[in-house]
Amino acid sequence: MVVPLQTTVGSPVAIAGTVGLFALFLSVTAHIAARNVLGDVAIRNAFGVGPLPAGIAVLSTTFGVSAALALPLALAADAALIKYLYDRPWRLTLYVVAIHLVVTIILGALVFSLLALWQSAPG
């Protein structure tokens, strides 16, 4: 029996590193979003938010699940974790999730653009 993770290019360590870095990135953007909406919050809460959406993203890509299904699932997991960890009303939780999505898109585009610029530099 062949499991899709066995057919991907890269070792299990590389896959785990990708999930870990993406979880760290999502945790940092979650903390930025929570600080902007809620004010002074503990950073340890943000480290609980990042891993589940990162795992959903990597598994959905691995198994070929449509982004139209994976994105709402990741956002729902994000909302549930933010609601549980920060203990805020649903309306405020959804606002934090929306800001988290925006911050993630903006910071992700910035990091990707800087990496693409760095790789295309002469020399």
Side-chain angles (χ1 to χ4, degrees), residues 14-40:
I15 295 169
T18 300
V19 174
L21 283 175
F22 191 42
L24 180 64
F25 176 75
L26 289 176
S27 295
V28 168
T29 58
H31 183 65
I32 292 169
R35 280 195 58 109
N36 282 327
V37 175
L38 305 174
D40 193 24

Side-chain angles (χ1 to χ4, degrees), residues 5 8 15-16 18-20 22-23 52-64:
L5 286 177
T8 59
I15 295 169
T18 300
V19 174
F22 191 42
L52 186 58
I56 290 170
V58 171
L59 287 175
S60 65
T61 302
T62 301
F63 290 107

Side-chain angles (χ1 to χ4, degrees), residues 11-12 23 37 72-73 85-86 98 101 109 116 120 123:
S11 69
V37 175
L73 181 63
L85 292 170
Y86 292 101
L101 179 65
S120 67

